[in-house]
Coordinates of all heavy atoms in Angstrom, one line a residue:
I49 N 0.8 -1.2 0.0 CA 0.0 0.0 0.0 C 0.9 1.3 0.0 O 2.1 1.2 0.3 CB -1.0 0.0 1.2 CG1 -0.2 -0.2 2.5 CG2 -2.0 -1.1 1.0 CD1 0.3 1.0 3.2
V50 N 0.3 2.4 -0.4 CA 0.9 3.7 -0.4 C -0.1 4.7 0.2 O -1.2 4.8 -0.2 CB 1.3 4.1 -1.8 CG1 1.9 5.5 -1.8 CG2 2.3 3.2 -2.5
F51 N 0.4 5.4 1.3 CA -0.5 6.4 1.8 C -0.8 7.5 0.7 O 0.1 8.0 0.1 CB 0.2 7.1 3.0 CG 0.1 6.3 4.3 CD1 1.2 6.0 5.0 CD2 -1.2 5.9 4.8 CE1 1.2 5.2 6.1 CE2 -1.2 5.1 5.9 CZ -0.1 4.8 6.6
T52 N -2.0 7.8 0.5 CA -2.5 8.7 -0.6 C -3.7 9.4 -0.2 O -4.6 8.8 0.5 CB -2.8 7.9 -1.9 OG1 -1.7 7.0 -2.2 CG2 -3.1 8.8 -3.1
D53 N -3.9 10.6 -0.6 CA -5.1 11.4 -0.4 C -6.1 10.9 -1.5 O -5.9 11.3 -2.6 CB -4.9 12.9 -0.4 CG -6.1 13.7 -0.1 OD1 -7.2 13.0 0.2 OD2 -6.1 14.9 -0.1
L54 N -7.1 10.2 -1.1 CA -8.0 9.7 -2.1 C -8.8 10.8 -2.8 O -9.4 10.5 -3.9 CB -9.0 8.7 -1.5 CG -8.3 7.4 -1.0 CD1 -9.3 6.5 -0.2 CD2 -7.8 6.5 -2.2
N55 N -8.8 12.0 -2.3 CA -9.4 13.1 -3.0 C -8.7 13.4 -4.3 O -9.3 14.0 -5.2 CB -9.3 14.4 -2.1 CG -10.2 14.3 -0.9 OD1 -11.4 14.6 -1.0 ND2 -9.6 13.9 0.3
T56 N -7.4 13.0 -4.4 CA -6.7 13.2 -5.6 C -6.9 12.1 -6.7 O -6.5 12.3 -7.8 CB -5.2 13.3 -5.4 OG1 -4.7 12.0 -4.9 CG2 -4.9 14.3 -4.3
I57 N -7.6 11.1 -6.3 CA -7.9 10.0 -7.3 C -9.3 9.9 -7.7 O -9.6 9.8 -8.9 CB -7.5 8.6 -6.6 CG1 -6.0 8.6 -6.4 CG2 -7.9 7.4 -7.4 CD1 -5.5 7.4 -5.6
L58 N -10.2 10.1 -6.8 CA -11.7 10.0 -7.2 C -12.2 11.4 -7.4 O -11.8 12.3 -6.7 CB -12.4 9.2 -6.1 CG -12.1 7.7 -5.9 CD1 -12.6 7.2 -4.6 CD2 -12.6 6.9 -7.1
P59 N -13.2 11.5 -8.2 CA -13.9 12.8 -8.4 C -14.6 13.3 -7.2 O -15.0 12.5 -6.3 CB -14.8 12.6 -9.6 CG -15.1 11.1 -9.6 CD -13.9 10.5 -9.0
E60 N -14.8 14.6 -7.1 CA -15.4 15.2 -5.9 C -16.8 14.7 -5.6 O -17.1 14.5 -4.4 CB -15.5 16.8 -6.1 CG -15.9 17.6 -4.9 CD -17.4 17.6 -4.6 OE1 -18.1 17.4 -5.6 OE2 -17.8 17.7 -3.5
Y61 N -17.6 14.4 -6.6 CA -18.9 13.9 -6.4 C -18.9 12.5 -5.8 O -19.8 12.2 -5.0 CB -19.8 14.0 -7.6 CG -19.3 13.2 -8.8 CD1 -19.6 11.8 -8.9 CD2 -18.6 13.7 -9.8 CE1 -19.2 11.1 -10.0 CE2 -18.2 13.0 -10.9 CZ -18.5 11.7 -11.0 OH -18.1 10.9 -12.1
I62 N -17.9 11.8 -6.0 CA -17.7 10.4 -5.4 C -17.2 10.6 -4.0 O -17.8 10.0 -3.0 CB -16.8 9.5 -6.2 CG1 -17.3 9.3 -7.6 CG2 -16.5 8.2 -5.4 CD1 -18.6 8.4 -7.6
V63 N -16.2 11.4 -3.8 CA -15.6 11.6 -2.4 C -16.6 12.2 -1.5 O -16.7 11.8 -0.3 CB -14.3 12.4 -2.5 CG1 -13.8 12.7 -1.1 CG2 -13.2 11.7 -3.3
S64 N -17.3 13.2 -1.9 CA -18.3 13.9 -1.0 C -19.4 12.9 -0.6 O -19.9 12.9 0.5 CB -18.8 15.1 -1.7 OG -19.6 14.8 -2.8
S65 N -19.8 12.1 -1.6 CA -20.8 11.1 -1.3 C -20.3 10.1 -0.3 O -21.0 9.6 0.6 CB -21.3 10.4 -2.6 OG -21.8 11.3 -3.5
L66 N -19.0 9.6 -0.5 CA -18.5 8.7 0.5 C -18.4 9.2 1.9 O -18.7 8.6 2.9 CB -17.1 8.3 0.0 CG -17.0 7.3 -1.2 CD1 -15.5 7.2 -1.7 CD2 -17.6 6.0 -0.9
K67 N -17.9 10.5 2.0 CA -17.8 11.1 3.3 C -19.1 11.2 4.0 O -19.3 10.7 5.1 CB -17.2 12.5 3.2 CG -15.8 12.6 2.7 CD -15.3 14.0 2.5 CE -13.9 14.2 2.0 NZ -13.5 15.6 1.7
E68 N -20.1 11.7 3.3 CA -21.5 11.8 3.8 C -22.1 10.4 4.2 O -22.6 10.2 5.3 CB -22.3 12.5 2.8 CG -23.8 12.8 3.3 CD -24.6 13.4 2.2 OE1 -24.0 14.1 1.3 OE2 -25.8 13.2 2.2
G69 N -21.9 9.5 3.3 CA -22.5 8.2 3.5 C -21.8 7.4 4.6 O -22.6 6.8 5.5
I70 N -20.5 7.4 4.7 CA -19.9 6.7 5.8 C -20.2 7.3 7.2 O -20.4 6.6 8.2 CB -18.3 6.7 5.6 CG1 -18.0 5.8 4.3 CG2 -17.6 6.1 6.8 CD1 -16.6 5.8 3.9
I71 N -20.3 8.6 7.3 CA -20.7 9.3 8.5 C -22.1 8.8 8.9 O -22.3 8.4 10.1 CB -20.6 10.8 8.4 CG1 -19.2 11.3 8.3 CG2 -21.4 11.5 9.6 CD1 -19.0 12.8 8.0
D72 N -23.0 8.8 8.0 CA -24.4 8.3 8.3 C -24.4 6.9 8.7 O -25.1 6.5 9.6 CB -25.3 8.6 7.1 CG -26.7 8.1 7.3 OD1 -27.4 8.8 8.2 OD2 -27.1 7.2 6.7
M73 N -23.6 6.0 8.0 CA -23.5 4.6 8.3 C -23.0 4.4 9.7 O -23.4 3.4 10.4 CB -22.7 3.9 7.3 CG -23.3 3.8 5.9 SD -22.2 3.2 4.6 CE -23.2 3.4 3.1
G74 N -22.1 5.3 10.1 CA -21.5 5.2 11.5 C -22.6 5.4 12.6 O -22.4 4.9 13.7
K75 N -23.6 6.1 12.2 CA -24.7 6.3 13.2 C -25.6 5.1 13.3 O -26.3 4.9 14.3 CB -25.6 7.5 12.7 CG -24.8 8.9 12.7 CD -25.7 10.0 12.1 CE -24.9 11.3 12.0 NZ -25.7 12.4 11.4
K76 N -25.6 4.3 12.3 CA -26.4 3.0 12.2 C -25.6 1.8 12.8 O -26.2 0.9 13.3 CB -26.8 2.7 10.8 CG -27.7 3.8 10.2 CD -27.9 3.6 8.7 CE -28.6 4.7 8.0 NZ -28.8 4.6 6.6
L77 N -24.3 1.9 12.6 CA -23.4 0.8 13.0 C -22.2 1.4 13.8 O -21.3 2.0 13.1 CB -23.0 -0.1 11.8 CG -22.1 -1.3 12.1 CD1 -22.9 -2.3 12.9 CD2 -21.6 -1.9 10.8

């Protein structure tokens, strides 16, 4: 593995969705 900022790999609409989705999933699990 290589430490990388995934914001530089995936487009903003994917990253923002992941951030929002994972935070919400943390409220459920």
Side-chain angles (χ1 to χ4, degrees):
I49 54 89
V50 177
F51 283 124
T52 308
D53 183 2
L54 293 171
N55 290 278
T56 65
I57 293 176
L58 294 167
E60 189 279 332
Y61 61 83
I62 297 294
V63 175
S64 63
S65 300
L66 287 172
K67 291 175 180 178
E68 182 186 329
I70 292 172
I71 288 172
D72 181 67
M73 292 170 186
K75 296 174 183 177
K76 301 170 184 175
L77 183 64

